[in-house]
Short mmCIF file of all heavy atoms in Angstrom, two decimals:
data_model
loop_
_atom_site.label_atom_id
_atom_site.label_comp_id
_atom_site.label_asym_id
_atom_site.label_seq_id
_atom_site.Cartn_x
_atom_site.Cartn_y
_atom_site.Cartn_z
N TRP A 31 104.59 23.74 5.04
CA TRP A 31 103.36 23.16 4.42
C TRP A 31 102.32 24.27 4.41
O TRP A 31 102.00 24.92 5.36
CB TRP A 31 102.86 22.03 5.32
CG TRP A 31 103.80 20.83 5.26
CD1 TRP A 31 104.73 20.49 6.13
CD2 TRP A 31 103.83 19.86 4.27
NE1 TRP A 31 105.45 19.38 5.85
CE2 TRP A 31 104.92 18.89 4.62
CE3 TRP A 31 103.15 19.59 3.11
CZ2 TRP A 31 105.25 17.75 3.90
CZ3 TRP A 31 103.50 18.46 2.40
CH2 TRP A 31 104.53 17.62 2.82
N SER A 32 101.81 24.45 3.29
CA SER A 32 100.71 25.44 3.16
C SER A 32 99.33 24.75 3.26
O SER A 32 99.12 23.63 2.82
CB SER A 32 100.77 26.12 1.71
OG SER A 32 100.61 25.22 0.70
N ARG A 33 98.41 25.37 4.00
CA ARG A 33 97.12 24.85 4.22
C ARG A 33 96.26 24.84 2.93
O ARG A 33 96.23 25.86 2.20
CB ARG A 33 96.33 25.75 5.25
CG ARG A 33 95.00 25.23 5.70
CD ARG A 33 94.41 26.04 6.81
NE ARG A 33 95.30 25.87 7.99
CZ ARG A 33 95.17 26.60 9.11
NH1 ARG A 33 94.14 27.46 9.23
NH2 ARG A 33 95.96 26.42 10.16
N PRO A 34 95.69 23.69 2.55
CA PRO A 34 94.95 23.64 1.33
C PRO A 34 93.81 24.58 1.29
O PRO A 34 93.07 24.84 2.25
CB PRO A 34 94.47 22.17 1.24
CG PRO A 34 94.41 21.73 2.67
CD PRO A 34 95.53 22.47 3.39
N THR A 35 93.60 25.18 0.11
CA THR A 35 92.51 26.18 -0.07
C THR A 35 91.16 25.36 -0.34
O THR A 35 91.12 24.50 -1.26
CB THR A 35 92.80 27.02 -1.29
OG1 THR A 35 94.11 27.63 -1.04
CG2 THR A 35 91.68 28.05 -1.45
N VAL A 36 90.12 25.68 0.44
CA VAL A 36 88.80 25.09 0.31
C VAL A 36 87.91 25.92 -0.63
O VAL A 36 87.70 27.11 -0.22
CB VAL A 36 88.15 24.86 1.65
CG1 VAL A 36 86.75 24.25 1.42
CG2 VAL A 36 88.98 24.00 2.52
N VAL A 37 87.60 25.39 -1.71
CA VAL A 37 86.77 26.20 -2.72
C VAL A 37 85.36 25.76 -2.50
O VAL A 37 84.98 24.56 -2.65
CB VAL A 37 87.25 25.86 -4.13
CG1 VAL A 37 86.41 26.66 -5.10
CG2 VAL A 37 88.72 26.18 -4.30
N PRO A 38 84.43 26.64 -2.12
CA PRO A 38 83.06 26.24 -1.88
C PRO A 38 82.34 25.82 -3.18
O PRO A 38 82.62 26.49 -4.21
CB PRO A 38 82.36 27.52 -1.28
CG PRO A 38 83.26 28.63 -1.73
CD PRO A 38 84.70 28.09 -1.81
N LEU A 39 81.48 24.85 -3.13
CA LEU A 39 80.80 24.31 -4.27
C LEU A 39 79.58 25.12 -4.45
O LEU A 39 78.45 24.64 -4.19
CB LEU A 39 80.56 22.84 -4.16
CG LEU A 39 81.76 22.00 -4.02
CD1 LEU A 39 81.35 20.53 -3.83
CD2 LEU A 39 82.65 22.11 -5.22
N LEU A 40 79.61 26.35 -4.97
CA LEU A 40 78.43 27.21 -5.09
C LEU A 40 78.31 27.28 -6.60
O LEU A 40 79.21 27.73 -7.34
CB LEU A 40 78.65 28.57 -4.47
CG LEU A 40 78.74 28.58 -2.93
CD1 LEU A 40 79.00 29.97 -2.43
CD2 LEU A 40 77.47 28.01 -2.28
N PRO A 41 77.03 27.07 -7.15
CA PRO A 41 76.85 27.18 -8.56
C PRO A 41 76.79 28.69 -9.04
O PRO A 41 76.42 29.47 -8.24
CB PRO A 41 75.50 26.42 -8.80
CG PRO A 41 74.77 26.61 -7.61
CD PRO A 41 75.83 26.61 -6.47
N GLY A 42 77.03 28.82 -10.23
CA GLY A 42 76.84 30.15 -10.81
C GLY A 42 75.41 30.48 -11.03
O GLY A 42 74.50 29.57 -10.85
N PRO A 43 75.01 31.64 -11.41
CA PRO A 43 73.65 32.04 -11.64
C PRO A 43 72.96 31.12 -12.67
O PRO A 43 71.87 30.65 -12.49
CB PRO A 43 73.69 33.49 -12.12
CG PRO A 43 75.04 33.97 -11.59
CD PRO A 43 75.94 32.82 -11.64
N ASP A 44 73.58 30.84 -13.80
CA ASP A 44 72.93 30.05 -14.82
C ASP A 44 72.77 28.63 -14.36
O ASP A 44 71.74 27.99 -14.66
CB ASP A 44 73.81 30.09 -16.09
CG ASP A 44 73.85 31.45 -16.74
OD1 ASP A 44 72.97 32.21 -16.45
OD2 ASP A 44 74.84 31.77 -17.42
N GLU A 45 73.79 28.14 -13.66
CA GLU A 45 73.71 26.78 -13.21
C GLU A 45 72.62 26.67 -12.12
O GLU A 45 71.88 25.58 -12.03
CB GLU A 45 75.01 26.25 -12.66
CG GLU A 45 75.09 24.76 -12.38
CD GLU A 45 76.56 24.36 -11.97
OE1 GLU A 45 77.44 25.26 -11.77
OE2 GLU A 45 76.73 23.16 -11.76
N ALA A 46 72.50 27.63 -11.25
CA ALA A 46 71.56 27.63 -10.20
C ALA A 46 70.09 27.58 -10.84
O ALA A 46 69.24 26.92 -10.33
CB ALA A 46 71.73 28.73 -9.21
N ARG A 47 69.94 28.44 -11.83
CA ARG A 47 68.65 28.48 -12.47
C ARG A 47 68.23 27.18 -13.08
O ARG A 47 67.12 26.71 -13.01
CB ARG A 47 68.55 29.59 -13.49
CG ARG A 47 67.22 29.74 -14.21
CD ARG A 47 67.09 30.99 -14.95
NE ARG A 47 68.22 31.15 -15.89
CZ ARG A 47 69.23 32.03 -15.78
NH1 ARG A 47 69.31 32.77 -14.73
NH2 ARG A 47 70.16 32.13 -16.64
N GLU A 48 69.30 26.46 -13.70
CA GLU A 48 69.01 25.18 -14.34
C GLU A 48 68.69 24.17 -13.32
O GLU A 48 67.81 23.37 -13.49
CB GLU A 48 70.31 24.78 -15.06
CG GLU A 48 70.18 23.46 -15.87
CD GLU A 48 71.39 23.04 -16.61
OE1 GLU A 48 72.34 23.93 -16.59
OE2 GLU A 48 71.47 21.98 -17.10
N TRP A 49 69.35 24.20 -12.12
CA TRP A 49 69.03 23.23 -11.05
C TRP A 49 67.63 23.41 -10.57
O TRP A 49 66.92 22.49 -10.32
CB TRP A 49 70.00 23.43 -9.91
CG TRP A 49 71.36 22.90 -10.20
CD1 TRP A 49 71.83 22.39 -11.41
CD2 TRP A 49 72.45 22.80 -9.30
NE1 TRP A 49 73.14 22.05 -11.29
CE2 TRP A 49 73.53 22.28 -10.02
CE3 TRP A 49 72.70 23.27 -7.99
CZ2 TRP A 49 74.87 22.14 -9.38
CZ3 TRP A 49 73.85 23.05 -7.38
CH2 TRP A 49 75.03 22.49 -8.13
#
Side-chain angles (χ1 to χ4, degrees):
W31 295 95
S32 60
R33 184 173 297 175
T35 303
V36 178
V37 181
L39 299 177
L40 296 177
D44 295 337
E45 189 176 4
R47 183 167 53 253
E48 182 181 354
W49 287 3

